[in-house]
Structure formats: structure tokens, C-alpha cells
Amino acid sequence: MLTLTGAGFSALRWEAARRRTVARAFRTVPFYREQWAVAGRVLDEPVPVASEQLIDQLFRLCPLGRPFQPSREPTLWSDDGTTLRVAINAASDSRTATHAVFGREATAQASSGRRPAVRALSDRWAAVRAASGPAAARTVFDRAVVLRAVFGHRATGRAVFGRRWTAVLEVRDAMIDRRWLGRGVPYAALLSPKADVVNEERRAALNRRATELATSGAVIVGTRNELADVLPEIGAASLRVLHRAGLADALGMAGPVVAYDPVLGYYAARMPSCGHLHLLWRLFHARVADGALQLTALRRRRPVLCNVIPVDAAGAAVERCPRHHTPILTTTTA
């Protein structure tokens, strides 16, 4: 049982968030309401289900009031990029990238292994507010004004792997209608050689934007085999590689890696400062029940995912990081 707190983490609040998600699922989502009918009674917990069994269940996994409409929207298995963005931030292991509120000064301190001086920051914030009036930081816009006044520039917080980055490239088998990954970070899908396209010329044309972004420095995310195929095609020396893998491979892999599931998306990342595979706990709840790792998506509303067993998760366990005191994924097998 996780009892300690760290980086805003509270085991009690975390479990309460899961209980709210489960209650909402039973109340509004057909997939989970039907489990009550099958059992002939009210269930306290959704029946655990393997993620691969949910691929064709989008209609039943969406709330009754917001059904999935394939004629009007793309597949919901491609999320809005939130899990990818948070996973990259976690893999960067910098306070700036995680919270995106500090500026270049804090970025430099994080990359050199020192935390920003919270007291000094508070004093500077108070000085700006005193000079600007009591209402200087009441809105999101005013907070941005104050941050610019404090740091002398727009605070973007894009520090990854000890350096600033400008774009994210994700190796995929299909294109996606997305050009930005939030906070002004360019995004481009990079089609692998296995993508279903007319010919290589068409694939090269679709990859042109990703190739251009790679020249200015970018993070590229993909499986080991995908990266082996596309990296020689790009030939950019400034790329930062972030491996994508299933949980079993991610646990056994050294270096920057993110755990990925086709249904859940990105749900864990290895932090370089401690070497542990950290669960993205603000987005997912994890527990081991009936001998299986079960994840619940805390912030996704369509589709609703409760007690989902990720692929390649046999023998996985949830523990706490001895350094950060937040949930990590480990293995119980030798």
C-alpha cells in the first residue's frame, strides 16, 4: 500500500479519484452497466479486462450522453496527445518540463541537477505583484504576464533530456491530424516502412514535415525496430531518441523508454534521476488485484477505461519510488 506522499502525490486522493471514475463508469457507460446485468447484482468493481479485448468496444465504452460517432470523429484510440506529452516530460526528469511554469533560469538549474530556489522565486513573484497591483495574478493571462515579468521572457518549460527541444516526432503506421503537442510544441507523425501507403514516394511526401522538423532538434518516439528503420532515412544528428515499448520490455530496457499500450496509450516513463519506470499517476491509477496489473484512466471521458490489464504486464507490481515517493512499476519475476 502506497502511503507516503511526494510531488503532490497522495495515496488516499489517488484512490478516491479511482473510485469516482469507477462510480461514473457504472452510472453512465454501457460496457460497465452491462456487467451489473450479467452478474445479476451491483458490483463494487468493474470486471478486469485485457486491453486487446477492448479494441472493438468503442461504442460501448463511451457515455450514453456522448456516444461515439465514427462518421463525425476519428477513432478515439488516438488521444489528444496528453499521454505522450506527459510521458516525454516524465522521461526528461526536469521540474521545468513536468510543470511548465518555470523559465530558462530554472531550466538551467534543473539540467545541472539543482532545484530552483523556491523562496527566491516566491520573493520575486511577490515583488512583481506588489509593483503590478493586487489583481496581477488572478487569471491565466495575468499569470503569464507575471511570469514574463519575473523571467523576462515567455516561460515554456520545454526541457527534455537536459536540453531544450523544439518538436516531437512519433513513428506510426498511419497518419494523424495533429500538428501541435500543446504549449506551442510542433508535432509530426513519421510513417514507418510498414505503413499502408501507395508507394515509397507517397510515404516520403507524407514524412516531409517530420523530416524538416528533425533538422532543428526534436524528440523521436518509436519502438526499437521502428527507430532502426526510420533513423537512417532522417539522418539528423540532433534527434533525442525515446524508445516506446510494452511494459515487460520497458522494465528490462535501459535508457529513456516509455511504456505504451494500444488502448491506454502512454502510461509510464523511466526517470533518469532514479532509473525507475514511473507511472503517469496523474493520468492513471494502477493496482495489482487477482494477480494482474490493472490500470484505470483517471481523466479520459471517452472512452472510459477502468481495471484494464495492459499488454505484456504479467508479473508487474506497483511500488513507490524511494527517491520521489510516487508510484513506479516493477516486476515480481526473477
Side-chain angles (χ1 to χ4, degrees):
M1 176 66 179
L2 293 166
T3 56
L4 297 184
T5 61
F9 175 77
S10 165
L12 293 178
R13 290 197 298 268
W14 197 41
E15 176 62 23
R18 188 188 77 87
R19 295 304 310 169
R20 288 193 298 270
T21 301
V22 168
R24 184 170 53 249
F26 279 136
R27 189 171 60 250
T28 64
V29 181
F31 183 85
Y32 301 101
R33 292 175 63 87
E34 291 169 7
Q35 293 181 1
W36 282 3
V38 172
R41 60 185 177 88
V42 174
L43 300 176
D44 293 330
E45 291 288 343
V47 177
V49 58
S51 65
E52 55 264 28
Q53 298 179 11
L54 298 177
I55 293 294
D56 58 350
Q57 298 294 326
L58 268 180
F59 290 96
R60 298 168 62 213
L61 287 168
C62 288
L64 294 170
R66 298 181 60 196
F68 174 52
Q69 300 178 343
S71 62
R72 298 184 179 182
E73 58 185 336
T75 176
L76 299 180
W77 295 132
S78 298
D79 67 9
D80 60 0
T82 299
T83 62
L84 175 57
R85 183 174 68 251
V86 176
I88 293 176
N89 288 344
S92 73
D93 204 12
S94 75
R95 183 179 178 87
T96 315
T98 301
H99 300 288
V101 295
F102 296 106
R104 290 177 183 168
E105 175 182 312
T107 301
Q109 292 176 349
S111 63
S112 64
R114 301 191 308 271
R115 282 194 171 188
V118 177
R119 185 181 299 276
L121 177 62
S122 178
D123 292 343
R124 295 173 70 182
W125 182 282
V128 171
R129 290 194 61 182
S132 305
R138 289 182 179 173
T139 66
V140 173
F141 174 79
D142 288 333
R143 289 190 186 97
V145 172
V146 173
L147 281 172
R148 284 197 294 270
V150 170
F151 294 111
H153 67 96
R154 180 182 179 183
T156 59
R158 292 177 291 174
V160 172
F161 309 137
R163 55 158 291 166
R164 292 185 66 78
W165 52 293
T166 57
V168 172
L169 311 180
E170 185 182 21
V171 184
R172 301 174 59 95
D173 290 334
M175 291 301 294
I176 184 171
D177 186 18
R178 179 186 301 150
R179 297 180 65 87
W180 303 94
L181 200 64
R183 299 188 183 277
V185 178
Y187 169 92
L190 187 63
L191 292 180
S192 69
K194 296 181 181 179
D196 186 11
V197 293
V198 177
N199 49 44
E200 282 299 307
E201 289 73 16
R202 178 56 178 167
R203 186 171 74 90
L206 292 173
N207 285 344
R208 184 171 296 116
R209 182 170 185 269
T211 304
E212 293 173 352
L213 291 175
T215 59
S216 60
V219 177
I220 183 169
V221 184
T223 66
R224 191 182 297 274
N225 292 336
E226 290 172 342
L227 293 172
D229 291 335
V230 301
L231 285 177
E233 298 178 357
I234 299 178
S238 58
L239 288 176
R240 301 294 184 183
V241 175
L242 182 58
H243 289 96
R244 176 178 63 217
L247 181 56
D249 290 337
L251 287 170
M253 187 181 299
V257 61
V258 288
Y260 176 81
D261 180 272
V263 167
L264 295 162
Y266 297 91
Y267 61 90
R270 186 179 306 285
M271 279 191 173
S273 63
C274 65
H276 291 297
L277 192 67
H278 276 253
L279 180 75
L280 307 183
W281 63 268
R282 296 182 185 275
L283 303 180
F284 296 94
H285 183 282
R287 67 174 190 160
V288 176
D290 300 325
L293 176 69
Q294 302 174 14
L295 299 187
T296 296
L298 299 177
R299 299 192 179 184
R300 288 189 78 167
R301 299 295 182 262
R302 301 174 69 243
V304 177
L305 303 172
C306 299
N307 290 0
V308 177
I309 303 173
V311 296
D312 298 330
V318 184
E319 298 180 6
R320 67 172 179 86
C321 176
R323 176 170 180 173
H324 300 96
H325 305 300
T326 54
I328 59 175
L329 300 179
T330 61
T331 179
T332 58
T333 59

